[in-house]
Amino acid sequence: MASFSGIWVALVTPFTHDEVDFPAVKRLAQHLIAKGVAGVVVCGSTGEAAALSKEEQLAVLDAVLEVVPAHQVVMGLSGNNMASTLQMQQAINQRDIAGVLIPAPYYIRPSQTGLVEYFTRLADASRVPVILYNVPYRTGATFELATLRQLARHPQIKAIKDCGGCPEATMSLILDGEIDVLTGEDPLILTTLCLGGSGAISAAAHLHPERFVALVEQVAQGDLAAARSNFYTLLPMIQQMFSYPNPGPVKAALSQQGLIKNELRSPMQTAPQVLQQQIADLLTQMPALTLAK
């Protein structure tokens, strides 16, 4: 059985007057879990973790843990200073959670040997399972397949959030079966599921999460006609959510639903008014999900 499967939502961090809106954090997390998602990922890139202090990140995690079972909560852990990252990890280790999502150390572009050392040290020190986050367009670090395979053999590294842009590596990791492969590219959710991947860590799944949950079930049941119909209904919304830097469009949509305020921390910006209107129009037009009896 997969350690990490299904739809995990990369949770936004709501703000009000530039402060974390903790009631909105809890309300949004509860809303998503009630819609059937497998869990939430706190303080990732969609959660604007880079704009939060370490103390704020831990406070957001604690707020989510007040309303979501621990086995449905993953925490982001990023940095490029080993000592400070290990220190943050020690604080996270004091919480009971499902796992940590760790990207490569950003900006410094380490060698493959450096990547192995970095993830091995963090995995060795982790009390909970590790999800490796491969996202070279954010970190500047590119994993070779051999490196991913070496890391996949570490007993504490259980999954990968795959944004690597290399279909051959994705398929190889799925075929190897050493770790769970979750896509982090929302337009590739159906593709990844059909290839045998275990799910997704998705930003767009904040919206119509029940459709994303149904998509996983449709593929699992072999109902590909229903899965394709569902996915192509979702696709215009998915494309819209990434037509402006994430999480601007997602926050605009959630604000329109009354779940959070439409506020980001600088230098991130709210979606332009024209896009906000387009989001409102599209969400209004999306048909309700109907499942075969």
Side-chain angles (χ1 to χ4, degrees), residues 37-216:
V37 303
V40 294
V41 178
V42 181
C43 293
S45 50
T46 300
E48 298 175 77
L52 300 172
S53 69
K54 299 302 183 185
E55 293 75 17
E56 286 177 318
Q57 291 183 37
L58 293 171
V60 172
L61 174 60
D62 289 338
V64 171
L65 286 171
E66 288 181 22
V67 297
V68 176
H71 71 275
Q72 293 180 283
V73 179
V74 164
M75 179 64 173
L77 174 63
S78 62
N80 56 8
N81 178 286
M82 180 63 80
S84 63
T85 305
L86 284 167
Q87 185 177 32
M88 181 64 172
Q89 185 179 36
Q90 289 175 0
I92 294 171
N93 275 340
Q94 297 173 18
R95 279 81 171 167
D96 183 18
I97 58 175
V100 287
L101 175 69
I102 307 179
Y106 51 85
Y107 184 74
I108 55 178
R109 301 178 67 188
S111 66
Q112 299 302 298
T113 302
L115 288 170
V116 169
E117 179 185 356
Y118 181 79
F119 279 95
T120 298
R121 287 188 64 182
L122 290 173
D124 286 346
S126 183
R127 190 180 60 82
V128 298
V130 170
I131 304 173
L132 190 157
Y133 186 8
N134 183 18
V135 58
Y137 56 80
R138 285 189 180 273
T139 64
T142 300
F143 287 87
E144 295 176 2
L145 177 57
T147 302
L148 292 172
R149 282 176 157 159
Q150 182 176 350
L151 290 170
R153 292 192 292 270
H154 191 289
Q156 199 70 336
I157 296 177
K158 302 295 187 182
I160 182 170
K161 179 181 179 182
D162 180 24
C163 297
C166 179
E168 292 81 5
T170 300
M171 290 185 285
S172 294
L173 292 173
I174 292 171
L175 184 61
D176 290 347
E178 294 282 351
I179 55 175
D180 300 324
V181 178
L182 302 103
T183 185
E185 301 288 358
D186 289 23
L188 296 180
I189 293 177
L190 178 58
T191 301
T192 301
L193 290 170
C194 288
L195 288 171
S198 63
I201 297 177
S202 165
H206 280 92
L207 311 171
H208 296 281
E210 69 285 350
R211 279 191 170 275
F212 288 85
V213 173
L215 181 64
V216 175

Side-chain angles (χ1 to χ4, degrees), residues 18 25 66 95 103 108 121 145 169 208 214 234 244 255 264 278:
D18 206 39
V25 168
E66 288 181 22
R95 279 81 171 167
I108 55 178
R121 287 188 64 182
L145 177 57
H208 296 281
L234 285 167
Y244 191 77
S255 174
L264 292 84
Q278 292 170 347

